[in-house]
Amino acid sequence: MKDIEARVTYEDNALIYSGDLLLPVVSQLYEDTLAILKGLSAFEIQIDLSLVRQIDTAGSAFLDEVKSYGLQMGMEAEIINVPESISKTLSTFSQKVDKQFLEQKERQRPWLERIGNWLDKRDHEVLEFITLIADTFYFGIAHAFKKEGSRKGEFVNQCILIGMNALPIVGLVSFLIGFILALQSAAQLRQFGASIYVADLIAVAMTREMGPLITAIMIAGRSGSAITSEIATMVVTEETDALKSMGLNPVKYILVPKFYAITMTMPMLTILSMILGILGALVIGYTYLNIGVQPFIDQVANVLIMKDIVTGLIKSIIFAWLIVIVAAYFGFRVKGGAEGVGRVTTASVVVSIFAVIFADSILGLIFYFGQDVVTY
Amino acid sequence: MIMKIASKSTVLVSTQDLCAGYGEEQILYDVSMEACKHEITAILGTSGCGKTTLLKNLIRLFQPWSGSVKIFNEEITDMDEPELNAILARVGVLFQYGALLNSITVAENVAIPLRQHTDLSESMIERLVRIKLDLVEMGHTLSKLPSELSGGMRKRAALARAIALDPPLLFCDEPTSGLDPMTSADLDHLILRMRDDLGISIVVVSHHVASIDRIADKIIFLDNGRVLFQGSLKEAKSAGIKQIDEFFRNG
Ligand SMILES: Nc1ncnc2c1ncn2[C@@H]1O[C@H](COP(=O)(O)OP(=O)(O)O)[C@@H](O)[C@H]1O
Ligand SMILES: [Mg+2]
């Protein structure tokens, strides 16, 4: 195979190209050309192609690029002496490069206009989001006892998918987190001879914060993503259109059973998480701090008040709603085909985990800010 | 011209100056068309010209920007949901890829409209589902999941679902797209049977010339969201319109 080579020289107000204007060499050629052009101060130059042997689409795009660069520098470039052998390719692939085109490309909208535009678009999305929330709660509450328009057995099915199947992983993760938290705090507390307070610490942390939070994050990752991709797939394959055409409301048909299921199972999973987290701490207490099982449990029972558990459960329900609505929102707004499904699924998980943590801070403030510091 | 056709037979679907699109992007421009009783009206045009968009605006899966859409002589663009659903109960829709719900069986899919729009007993529903599936020669797939069916079978099952309520009007979006020639021909015969044996009027979207030749009574030719021609298939071929000639030559 012959080597591909191309060269550019400058002579008499003309860039003279020779050789092969092919993909492997154009980027080097572009640099060489720019080096020449930078030293020039002409208004018009010619691009002489008489010595060019071959050209491909990259070569043709390259010439356009040179022309447009010239224009930006205030030079009109004209192509001359096009050999017969390359004229077809050139005329097929070369694009129109002129001042107008460049101006269009350059024109940046003023920043205020851009912000306005952005807000305008978001406006629509916010409206969609609110409509979705309204629909979900409307169908969820008003139609709770009407069977028509929803899927038989779907609620139980969803409870199994969202709740039962998540039991092992939520349990395991909670146990490990309780275990690790206890381990880390034990070392500190032991210094003060206050080992027994590991029980208090973990009990309060698990019920108020970690239990609901761990569960919500696990469920957002597991079920939130599943809900988004299921709905998005249905949108893409026109299943939602088919439902509408048969007089069924997709939110009601698809989402409401999931809404019930997640509202039911999240608090249960959260309680499990609380218990297993404390259990993890108990294991550390027993093996590492020599606290007996009974004293540990007594200590936990002592420190926990109803409010801790109730706020934990309220949180878990709010997180559940956040997860299911964010998941559905992203699912319904999918654009494009299969790759769109992947995109919205990722977005949904990221946003719902963020929403959960954000809501957790707000709820923490509401429930506990300004409360008297508990003394023992 | 519209009056002339209307006087010959009953118009079931019509639009007047329909404009529609997605977001800011307009797809349909002043579309005026009609489809008559006991006829197969084919909406044709190249890919991306707005056929599916027109179909979806006809049954208000999208809200048209402006213009009028009438089904069974009733204006549907400003109907509220219950009214629209009452109309849709008398309309079957076959979507491009069937759009069967993937998580439930074929039989359950066909049963959806029956459960939604009637108070029939469970055994009646079962019986009807079997009748419809037998009609499209899919009786053996009752308890299969859609994912276990081939493309052609999926469309048949979806057709069974579309005619579950014996609608007088059926919309089909590209019934033969993605099918081999034999399967396409089978499906076309099925569509012809719908018209001849069941008296269903059909609006079918297609870009498949062989199929159009087999089934279309009337055609509506869309080009970039505008109606270029409307009339019988024969007239279309002899009208000497460049885009239409090209369409039939290259299809
Ligand atoms: N949901 C949608 N959102 C935005 N644009 C769409 C959507 N569906 C279709 N389009 C665009 O509308 C145009 C017409 O599409 P369509 O009606 O599906 O064409 P056809 O069915 O004739 O092939 C295409 O340019 C397509 O990209
Ligand atoms: Mg289409």
Side-chain angles (χ1 to χ4, degrees):
Chain A
M1 204 180 92
K2 254 197 305 182
D3 276 349
I4 296 170
E5 54 176 356
R7 206 171 299 121
V8 56
T9 54
Y10 181 74
E11 221 173 274
D12 279 348
N13 222 12
L15 288 166
I16 303 170
Y17 289 94
S18 58
D20 316 297
L21 293 191
L22 300 181
L23 181 62
V25 296
V26 290
S27 62
Q28 182 56 46
L29 206 55
Y30 188 61
E31 271 170 37
D32 296 348
T33 307
L34 288 198
I36 294 173
L37 285 178
K38 276 194 184 122
L40 291 183
S41 57
F43 292 110
E44 277 178 10
I45 62 165
Q46 293 176 322
I47 298 176
D48 189 331
L49 300 182
S50 55
L51 299 174
V52 174
R53 283 193 304 255
Q54 316 175 52
I55 193 166
D56 62 3
T57 51
S60 157
F62 158 75
L63 291 173
D64 289 344
E65 194 65 29
V66 171
K67 272 203 269 184
S68 110
Y69 181 81
L71 273 178
Q72 277 166 359
M73 309 260 297
M75 280 182 250
E76 293 271 5
E78 187 198 0
I79 293 180
I80 57 166
N81 297 339
V82 182
E84 190 69 30
S85 58
I86 68 165
S87 69
K88 182 113 200 304
T89 313
L90 198 58
S91 61
T92 314
F93 296 112
S94 115
Q95 278 162 344
K96 202 169 168 222
V97 178
D98 56 21
K99 283 210 180 88
Q100 235 178 347
F101 167 78
L102 282 175
E103 274 162 17
Q104 222 173 20
K105 214 165 103 179
E106 294 264 291
R107 186 176 166 264
Q108 282 268 355
R109 281 193 281 191
W111 62 274
L112 208 58
E113 193 180 322
R114 270 184 288 159
I115 292 181
N117 239 309
W118 186 82
L119 280 179
D120 205 30
K121 287 209 186 92
R122 289 301 168 287
D123 196 36
H124 187 63
E125 286 167 19
V126 169
L127 192 72
E128 273 176 29
F129 190 66
I130 292 174
T131 314
L132 179 66
I133 296 176
D135 275 1
T136 312
F137 279 90
Y138 171 72
F139 290 122
I141 294 165
H143 287 223
F145 302 102
K146 283 198 220 160
K147 279 230 308 259
E148 154 243 347
S150 50
R151 234 185 302 177
K152 223 180 21 177
E154 183 62 9
F155 169 66
V156 175
N157 193 12
Q158 289 297 329
C159 281
I160 292 171
L161 280 179
I162 298 174
M164 287 268 284
N165 294 352
L167 280 177
I169 188 68
V170 169
L172 182 63
V173 168
S174 305
F175 179 84
L176 291 177
I177 294 218
F179 185 87
I180 292 165
L181 281 182
L183 187 67
Q184 296 297 347
S185 31
Q188 308 299 319
L189 289 169
R190 198 141 72 158
Q191 291 177 13
F192 307 105
S195 304
I196 185 68
Y197 290 117
V198 161
D200 302 44
L201 193 66
I202 303 302
V204 169
M206 283 311 298
T207 48
R208 288 188 187 177
E209 285 296 334
M210 296 312 280
L213 207 56
I214 296 166
T215 314
I217 290 175
M218 297 307 294
I219 295 297
R222 252 188 114 258
S223 304
S225 61
I227 292 172
T228 305
S229 65
E230 181 185 338
I231 293 178
T233 307
M234 292 181 80
V235 172
V236 169
T237 56
E238 296 181 315
E239 284 171 51
T240 49
D241 284 336
L243 284 173
K244 283 188 222 160
S245 79
M246 293 183 288
L248 286 146
N249 185 306
V251 170
K252 188 173 169 194
Y253 188 84
I254 308 169
L255 194 58
V256 166
K258 299 186 198 306
F259 177 78
Y260 289 152
I262 203 170
T263 311
M264 282 271 296
T265 54
M266 272 283 271
M268 297 186 194
L269 285 169
T270 302
I271 289 178
L272 173 88
S273 163
M274 293 170 178
I275 293 173
L276 280 175
I278 294 172
L279 210 63
L282 189 145
V283 170
I284 287 293
Y286 186 74
T287 57
Y288 181 52
L289 298 172
N290 297 320
I291 307 171
V293 173
Q294 194 55 46
F296 191 99
I297 292 176
D298 288 346
Q299 189 74 12
V300 169
N302 236 340
V303 69
L304 283 187
I305 50 175
M306 207 51 192
K307 183 180 174 192
D308 295 327
I309 296 170
V310 170
T311 54
L313 292 183
I314 291 176
K315 271 185 184 180
S316 80
I317 290 182
I318 292 177
F319 294 164
W321 290 347
L322 276 174
I323 291 168
V324 75
I325 286 176
V326 167
Y329 172 72
F330 278 97
F332 279 118
R333 58 169 291 190
V334 64
K335 289 268 149 57
E339 80 285 355
V341 176
R343 219 170 19 237
V344 288
T345 305
T346 313
S348 147
V349 172
V350 172
V351 171
S352 65
I353 289 180
F354 172 77
V356 161
I357 292 176
F358 188 73
D360 188 49
S361 341
I362 305 277
L363 291 172
L365 285 178
I366 293 174
F367 292 146
Y368 294 105
F369 191 74
Q371 188 189 42
D372 288 346
V373 177
V374 186
T375 49
Y376 297 100
Chain B
M1 170 179 160
I2 284 170
M3 290 313 295
K4 208 175 83 196
I5 297 175
S7 61
K8 270 193 248 164
S9 48
T10 323
V11 174
L12 286 191
V13 186
S14 67
T15 68
Q16 195 69 50
D17 298 327
L18 175 70
C19 294
Y22 304 98
E24 311 234 302
E25 190 191 1
Q26 183 163 6
I27 306 289
L28 299 177
Y29 299 85
D30 300 317
V31 171
S32 300
M33 47 85 52
E34 54 185 41
C36 299
K37 204 167 175 173
H38 298 312
E39 284 184 352
I40 297 179
T41 308
I43 299 172
L44 29 149
T46 49
S47 200
C49 69
K51 304 181 295 290
T52 301
T53 307
L54 175 57
L55 193 81
K56 289 189 178 174
N57 276 277
L58 287 181
I59 49 176
R60 231 182 79 185
L61 288 175
F62 292 103
Q63 180 67 39
W65 291 3
S66 65
S68 114
V69 178
K70 284 186 181 169
I71 295 185
F72 306 129
N73 238 338
E74 290 191 64
E75 180 66 45
I76 64 158
T77 45
D78 46 11
M79 274 185 178
D80 60 19
E81 223 176 280
E83 283 179 303
L84 182 68
N85 284 341
I87 295 279
L88 289 181
R90 296 163 59 207
V91 172
V93 188
L94 170 59
F95 287 89
Q96 181 158 6
Y97 304 101
L100 294 170
L101 298 185
N102 262 311
S103 52
I104 54 179
T105 63
V106 169
E108 282 297 320
N109 262 289
V110 180
I112 294 174
L114 295 166
R115 290 195 212 287
Q116 175 66 8
H117 291 291
T118 69
D119 298 325
L120 295 173
S121 69
E122 214 34 46
S123 64
M124 264 301 284
I125 288 181
E126 251 171 56
R127 199 177 292 276
L128 275 171
V129 165
R130 185 168 280 281
I131 291 175
K132 302 295 162 172
L133 279 172
D134 282 340
L135 199 68
V136 298
E137 291 149 33
M138 289 285 291
H140 55 293
T141 62
L142 272 173
S143 54
K144 286 219 159 111
L145 286 173
S147 55
E148 296 164 345
L149 303 182
S150 72
M153 290 160 90
R154 239 175 269 181
K155 292 215 172 143
R156 281 166 183 272
L159 184 60
R161 184 178 70 180
I163 58 164
L165 294 167
D166 290 308
L169 178 61
L170 176 67
F171 291 99
C172 305
D173 192 358
E174 312 244 0
T176 57
S177 79
L179 301 183
D180 61 87
M182 290 294 286
T183 316
S184 296
D186 284 349
L187 212 76
D188 284 337
H189 286 126
L190 211 53
I191 289 176
L192 287 172
R193 263 186 74 195
M194 299 286 140
R195 179 193 63 184
D196 300 336
D197 298 355
L198 303 177
I200 302 178
S201 316
I202 303 168
V203 176
V204 52
V205 163
S206 183
H207 63 220
H208 190 180
V209 171
S211 161
I212 293 162
D213 277 333
R214 275 193 291 266
I215 62 175
D217 296 313
K218 294 276 172 57
I219 70 156
I220 294 163
F221 193 93
L222 278 190
D223 183 53
N224 279 325
R226 293 186 171 79
V227 175
L228 211 59
F229 177 86
Q230 174 159 202
S232 73
L233 185 59
K234 229 167 99 193
E235 285 164 11
K237 287 182 173 173
S238 57
I241 298 171
K242 197 177 100 231
Q243 287 93 326
I244 298 183
D245 292 344
E246 240 163 58
F247 181 86
F248 280 103
R249 189 149 17 89
N250 299 328

